[in-house]
Amino acid sequence: MNNGNKRRRLALLISDPSADYSQSVIMGVRGQCAKYGYDLLVFSPMVKVCHPDKVYLDGELNIFNLINYDLVDGVLVASLELVEDQVYTVLEKLESDLRRKCRKPVVSLDLPLADYPTSFTDDRKAIHSVVKHLVNEHGCRKLYILTGHKDYVVSEGRAEAFCEQMRAEGLDVSEDNVFYGNFWYTGGEEFADRILSGEVEMPEAVVCANDFMAVGLANRLISGGVKVPGQVRVTGYDATKEAVFNTVSITTYNPDVYGMAAQGVNMLHKVIEPDAPEAEPDLLPHYGLRIGASCGCGQDADEIRAMQGKGMNPDERKKNSDGSLTVNDMQGLHESYMFETLSAVQDKEKILDTITDVTYLLQPYRRFYLVLRNDWSDTAERCVTGYPETMRCVMRCIPQNDSESDAERRYAADSGEYEFPTEQMLPALDEERSEPVTFYFLPSHFSDDTIGFAVLQTAMDAKRSADAVSTLWLRNVNNSLHMIRVVSKLIDYSIHDSMTGLLNRRGMEMMYSRRREHIAPDDNIIVWVIDMDGLKYINDHFGHESGDIGIITIAEAVRAISDKDDISVRTGGDEFVVVSAGKLTGNDGRERISAFERFLADKNASQKGRWFDITASIGYVCFPASEMEQFDEKLKEADRLMYEYKSARKKQRGE
């Protein structure tokens, strides 16, 4: 099997995964993948591709640059969801990437993409059913259709279906019955204004090509004094939550997007496994005409509310037996105070543990992974296009009630141990599993600066997906990670000396406090205190710029003799401190002094023509870890020994 994994994989490229259409696509693809035993990898920005903040959108769209097409067996592109408001930029970029990078079969969903095969939802059947209902059940004769943008294939297709059924019903129809909008609330509102002003003669019914325009139309007509459905009946398309919960619930049609997406999987299956039998997609019962109040049937929307699932209405909220929130419980997410919990953390060493603590809000899920850049916490480094060659999977979360996870390792650590080549996308993809699963790859970023990405792994039949709750959860995580970056930068400024880059006194105290936790009982600690010689003389005779050169040179010498775990400090003016811990002796203290002096001697010898040498006096103390609480006293002792050393040198020079 490909790439050492026994299970085949399909990739689904989509946007705004919590949207109703996207959810139906994902469900259809998941259902059919389960029948073939395929893993599904969903790559998606968490917003629509017409998001108004274009810089933020760039950060979202970067998730598509993560895809390694060599690691999948086929690709589904939800093209209709990747075009908004007649903007094709994102889809065109994906098409270019597919041409250059993908050697696997590709199927487009609901909208043609280049010369790739396309699976279509049966829009005509839907529009035919709505027109039949208005004509035969309500006796309407004067009908309009409000479709989307002119010359857009979806808009024109739904308009043609309207005209076909009008003729089939024996009714006159022409271009005067067809009006164009924008697939958004404003399109319906603007059409309502034309009716209210008398520009457009009032119809008996308006068939809207989607629910957003239907909601905008109905509400604007009502606010203008027109009764809906008393004077004008309004219908929609897509069976969205907005239609269900509108003040006047909208009669709408729930198209078989599930079946369309499942058929797209079948089209790939024929190419991937041409000799294997084909599985028929499931026919789900809740597709078709959904009656609301806007057509005049007088029925309520209880059936549709039930179809949409629990948790959308706060009164319907409950917790599961494992303590997790009900799927789609947005109110519960807000009441968890997750963002406040994460915002209270100011230490990047603790933020991953805190994020782990709130992953219960994602249940039910199988695994959650957080992958970050190796330098994610450094705000000076940016990543705006693509991903670095290696990254770290800093978090692997497994629900506590997962009985099959005993052999799997849970962790939350920003460690090089978990670094992997980014081209793998996620090491867990190659793990053996008894059944196929879905991996949702979602962006982690702030503005257009990519921090990493998150992966939510679920069972194929799980209620949980990349829905409104999980995407808002991840947005909270993204913001908290950026806050940690900013706080870390501010702390970095506050604990470092701006001239030399060494720690300042506050930084020394902070780092010593942290380092104490890792000092073994049988370790020794050495403190060196260094004081530059003759800084005032250099400043007075050669200028402060020369004095600064001297200070920077001493700092270079300090770095040269310091190990990576040492605490190297400029305590102020011309004074420096180095603190080291480990299996050290007084001999180590003396050797470091010799190395320090050799560094300065070599530096002075290399500066031909300079009128002064840069030297310093140094003293040290070595003491056992059992006396680490006496650090201030030991520092004073090293300082005293340094001044004794300085005085002895002055006497030698006859000063």
Side-chain angles (χ1 to χ4, degrees):
M1 186 55 211
N2 60 322
N3 305 301
N5 185 17
K6 296 179 181 179
R7 198 175 297 281
R8 296 186 184 274
R9 306 170 184 148
L10 298 188
L12 170 62
L13 283 54
I14 200 166
S15 70
D16 191 15
S18 63
D20 294 303
Y21 176 84
S22 295
Q23 287 283 298
S24 295
V25 169
I26 292 170
M27 286 176 58
V29 174
R30 285 195 323 185
Q32 206 65 6
C33 281
K35 293 183 177 184
Y36 294 126
Y38 296 167
D39 281 344
L40 174 62
L41 281 56
V42 180
F43 297 87
S44 178
M46 295 184 290
V47 300
K48 295 184 180 299
V49 296
C50 61
H51 192 277
D53 186 340
K54 299 308 179 186
V55 176
Y56 182 88
L57 179 61
D58 286 343
E60 289 281 316
L61 294 173
N62 195 41
I63 193 68
F64 291 135
N65 291 318
L66 176 67
I67 306 170
N68 182 351
Y69 293 102
D70 291 338
L71 299 186
V72 299
D73 298 281
V75 180
L76 292 160
V77 183
S79 300
L80 186 63
E81 191 65 13
L82 294 167
V83 175
E84 291 284 346
D85 199 23
Q86 292 293 80
V87 176
Y88 284 79
T89 308
V90 174
L91 192 58
E92 290 170 351
K93 170 65 166 56
L94 282 177
E95 179 190 341
S96 175
D97 288 346
L98 289 167
R99 295 295 189 198
R100 291 185 298 107
K101 302 176 183 178
C102 183
R103 295 182 292 275
K104 304 300 173 63
V106 176
V107 168
S108 181
L109 303 180
D110 257 347
L111 188 69
L113 176 64
D115 56 355
Y116 296 119
T118 304
S119 178
F120 290 100
T121 301
D122 190 352
D123 284 358
R124 293 182 181 275
K125 179 180 178 181
I127 300 299
H128 290 172
S129 296
V130 173
V131 174
K132 284 181 182 179
H133 179 78
L134 291 170
V135 173
N136 299 324
E137 297 297 326
H138 297 290
C140 297
R141 293 294 179 269
K142 187 173 185 178
L143 284 73
Y144 296 155
I145 183 168
L146 176 62
T147 190
H149 303 86
K150 189 174 178 60
D151 297 327
Y152 181 40
V153 61
V154 175
S155 306
E156 300 296 354
R158 294 178 188 178
E160 288 172 7
F162 170 83
C163 294
E164 287 173 356
Q165 192 59 38
M166 287 286 283
R167 295 187 187 100
E169 299 295 335
L171 299 175
D172 292 334
V173 65
S174 69
E175 62 182 19
D176 293 336
N177 298 82
V178 178
F179 296 86
Y180 293 92
N182 59 5
F183 284 129
W184 196 237
Y185 300 104
T186 54
E189 292 165 351
E190 291 166 2
F191 186 54
D193 290 340
R194 295 176 67 186
I195 294 173
L196 292 170
S197 69
E199 177 190 345
V200 173
E201 187 176 348
M202 189 174 296
E204 295 176 83
V206 179
V207 177
C208 295
N210 79 343
D211 285 345
F212 296 128
M213 291 192 297
V215 168
L217 172 63
N219 292 347
R220 182 62 64 89
L221 287 175
I222 292 170
S223 66
V226 174
K227 296 179 180 179
V228 176
Q231 293 173 271
V232 178
R233 305 175 197 274
V234 176
T235 65
Y237 179 95
D238 284 335
T240 62
K241 295 185 287 289
E242 289 78 6
V244 174
F245 291 104
N246 193 49
T247 303
V248 175
S249 59
I250 303 296
T251 294
T252 183
Y253 192 95
N254 195 9
D256 191 9
V257 175
Y258 180 102
M260 176 278 300
Q263 189 57 43
V265 175
N266 279 353
M267 294 166 71
L268 288 176
H269 173 70
K270 288 179 181 178
V271 179
I272 295 170
E273 299 182 276
D275 298 327
E278 180 178 298
E280 283 294 320
D282 293 330
L283 182 62
L284 300 189
H286 57 266
Y287 292 111
L289 192 64
R290 296 299 164 189
I291 302 300
S294 66
C295 72
C297 282
Q299 297 183 13
D300 61 30
D302 287 345
E303 181 184 2
I304 307 180
R305 287 193 179 93
M307 179 191 71
Q308 294 292 349
K310 300 292 184 180
M312 290 169 49
N313 184 339
D315 294 334
E316 297 176 326
R317 291 176 54 242
K318 66 182 180 64
K319 283 195 173 182
N320 300 318
S321 58
D322 60 4
S324 64
L325 296 176
T326 302
V327 173
N328 290 333
D329 191 354
M330 186 65 73
Q331 184 69 17
L333 177 62
H334 287 305
E335 290 180 1
S336 72
Y337 288 93
M338 170 192 174
F339 185 67
E340 288 79 4
T341 299
L342 296 176
S343 299
V345 180
Q346 298 188 354
D347 187 343
K348 70 177 183 179
E349 304 297 329
K350 298 179 180 178
I351 188 62
L352 297 180
D353 287 333
T354 308
I355 293 172
T356 300
D357 291 341
V358 295
T359 53
Y360 75 92
L361 294 165
L362 294 175
Q363 293 188 30
Y365 71 97
R366 293 193 77 252
R367 305 289 180 268
F368 174 77
Y369 305 91
L370 183 63
V371 179
L372 301 179
R373 290 169 19 205
N374 298 338
D375 58 355
W376 72 271
S377 62
D378 187 354
T379 56
E381 299 296 328
R382 287 173 54 79
C383 178
V384 295
T385 302
Y387 292 80
E389 291 185 358
T390 61
M391 300 183 74
R392 292 178 180 176
C393 186
V394 301
M395 185 181 299
R396 179 190 181 112
C397 296
I398 305 172
Q400 293 296 328
N401 60 355
D402 190 331
S403 60
E404 298 180 0
S405 64
D406 295 339
E408 296 187 43
R409 184 177 182 182
R410 296 174 168 88
Y411 61 83
D414 187 5
S415 167
E417 177 184 356
Y418 305 112
E419 191 169 321
F420 68 95
T422 308
E423 64 180 9
Q424 289 184 8
M425 297 193 289
L426 186 72
L429 293 179
D430 289 325
E431 294 175 353
E432 291 190 9
R433 291 175 293 276
S434 60
E435 58 185 19
V437 295
T438 302
F439 294 90
Y440 297 92
F441 287 79
L442 303 168
S444 179
H445 68 105
F446 187 83
S447 188
D448 62 345
D449 186 12
T450 291
I451 301 173
F453 59 90
V455 183
L456 181 66
Q457 179 186 336
T458 70
M460 278 297 186
D461 60 352
K463 294 180 180 179
R464 166 68 65 209
S465 66
D467 55 20
V469 174
S470 55
T471 52
L472 179 57
W473 184 95
L474 182 55
R475 284 169 54 195
N476 286 341
V477 168
N478 290 347
N479 289 335
S480 68
L481 289 173
H482 181 66
M483 288 179 66
I484 286 292
R485 300 168 80 201
V486 173
V487 169
S488 297
K489 192 68 173 180
L490 292 174
I491 291 175
D492 189 61
Y493 283 139
S494 71
I495 66 174
H496 284 88
D497 171 56
S498 59
M499 178 183 290
T500 64
L502 299 176
L503 292 169
N504 57 24
R505 184 173 290 276
R506 180 173 181 270
M508 177 179 70
E509 294 170 353
M510 178 185 294
M511 298 307 294
Y512 183 72
S513 177
R514 290 182 180 178
R515 185 72 195 280
R516 284 168 49 183
E517 300 176 5
H518 305 287
I519 297 177
D522 58 345
D523 281 349
N524 284 330
I525 302 169
I526 299 181
V527 177
W528 292 267
V529 174
I530 302 164
D531 187 86
M532 179 179 170
D533 295 329
L535 176 60
K536 185 177 185 304
Y537 176 85
I538 294 173
N539 283 337
D540 291 345
H541 290 78
F542 304 102
H544 285 271
E545 184 176 342
S546 295
D548 291 346
I549 292 173
I551 292 172
I552 292 170
T553 301
I554 298 296
E556 291 173 353
V558 166
R559 284 195 181 88
I561 67 165
S562 299
D563 293 334
K564 67 181 183 66
D565 292 328
D566 289 351
I567 301 171
S568 305
V569 189
R570 180 191 178 197
T571 55
D574 54 2
E575 298 176 352
F576 298 80
V577 171
V578 178
V579 182
S580 186
K583 302 301 183 282
L584 304 172
T585 66
N587 189 51
D588 293 295
R590 290 186 290 273
E591 287 182 356
R592 294 266 193 112
I593 291 176
S594 298
F596 180 85
E597 291 176 336
R598 286 196 301 273
F599 181 93
L600 290 182
D602 291 343
K603 194 77 172 180
N604 289 325
S606 67
Q607 301 298 316
K608 301 297 184 181
R610 192 170 63 192
W611 293 94
F612 59 90
D613 283 342
I614 298 171
T615 61
S617 300
I618 186 168
Y620 79 96
V621 293
C622 180
F623 57 95
S626 59
E627 299 178 9
M628 71 172 68
E629 298 291 344
Q630 304 173 30
F631 180 76
D632 289 342
E633 288 75 12
K634 300 300 182 181
L635 189 63
K636 291 177 181 177
E637 182 179 348
D639 188 62
R640 178 181 58 79
L641 292 172
M642 179 274 295
Y643 275 109
E644 288 182 1
Y645 178 79
K646 185 184 288 285
S647 297
R649 292 178 66 203
K650 285 183 177 180
K651 287 180 180 179
Q652 289 177 354
R653 294 193 299 265
E655 297 178 7

